[in-house]
Amino acid sequence: MTPDAKEVYLALGSNMGNRKQNLTEAIAYLAQRVRVARCSSIYDTEPVGNTDQPRFLNMVCRIYTSLEPRALLSLAKGIESKMGRVFGKVNAPRPIDIDILIYRDLVLNTPDLVIPHPRMTRRAFVLVPLAEIAPGLKHPTSGKAIKQLLSELPGAEDIVKWEND
């Protein structure tokens, strides 16, 4: 890894096909271009928004990359496409979803990319696995630790680790 590698947190989710295999495959694709340092446990969660779809498996990974934010977004979207995600319909079922949650302490707000992820603080399925691997990580805009954001979010107790059958 290059000396200019930046610490980044990604959320991964899958609710189509073999969900566990999809997460594993996405991590393998990511590892071809970035250093995957640590991944959370996997959590089985209800869909948000469009609830008329299968349950998700969700996790968070800490990576190190020298890719700039837009290049990382392009990598994530390329992996999603390669794995069969169809773009266009919001909150539709998908084999893989990869979101950039936090990119160091960067705050970025453009039409195609917002960092930190704009809805992460309202999503227990993101904060629970993120708190598992980085409880003291500070949210770049609120300055609050992830474990504090999680403690302030109702419904977090409903997010449970997935038990592989």
Side-chain angles (χ1 to χ4, degrees):
M1 189 57 43
T2 60
D4 62 340
K6 296 157 188 81
E7 183 179 75
V8 178
Y9 291 85
L10 303 176
L12 287 79
S14 174
N15 76 336
M16 287 179 65
N18 184 328
R19 301 173 301 162
K20 169 67 165 78
Q21 182 179 329
N22 291 342
L23 293 172
T24 301
E25 187 175 332
I27 292 167
Y29 281 132
L30 284 165
Q32 292 174 10
R33 297 282 311 277
V34 304
R35 182 166 71 87
V36 178
R38 185 166 181 202
C39 293
S40 71
S41 300
I42 297 172
Y43 294 83
D44 186 4
T45 65
E46 291 282 341
V48 173
N50 173 11
T51 57
D52 187 26
Q53 61 179 317
R55 294 176 65 86
F56 276 84
L57 289 185
N58 293 101
M59 66 187 308
V60 168
C61 295
R62 179 175 57 232
I63 67 165
Y64 290 91
T65 183
S66 56
L67 293 172
E68 292 303 316
R70 289 190 196 297
L72 182 59
L73 177 65
S74 180
L75 173 64
K77 295 305 168 197
I79 292 168
E80 290 175 351
S81 182
K82 184 185 291 192
M83 292 183 62
R85 179 166 181 182
V86 177
F87 295 94
K89 189 173 181 187
V90 178
N91 293 329
R94 47 208 175 270
I96 195 69
D97 184 33
I98 304 171
D99 290 331
I100 301 170
L101 300 176
I102 293 177
Y103 186 105
R104 287 184 60 186
D105 57 356
L106 178 70
V107 177
L108 180 69
N109 192 344
T110 68
D112 61 331
L113 182 58
V114 178
I115 300 174
H117 192 284
R119 294 175 300 282
M120 69 176 278
T121 59
R122 299 188 314 263
R123 293 180 167 173
F125 66 85
V126 169
L127 290 182
V128 168
L130 183 55
E132 177 187 325
I133 65 171
L137 178 69
K138 301 283 188 205
H139 188 277
T141 56
S142 74
K144 294 180 180 180
I146 298 303
K147 65 182 175 186
Q148 181 181 351
L149 291 170
L150 179 59
S151 73
E152 296 170 355
L153 186 67
E157 63 280 353
D158 298 332
I159 307 297
V160 295
K161 286 183 183 175
W162 180 63
E163 299 299 328
N164 193 356
D165 298 325

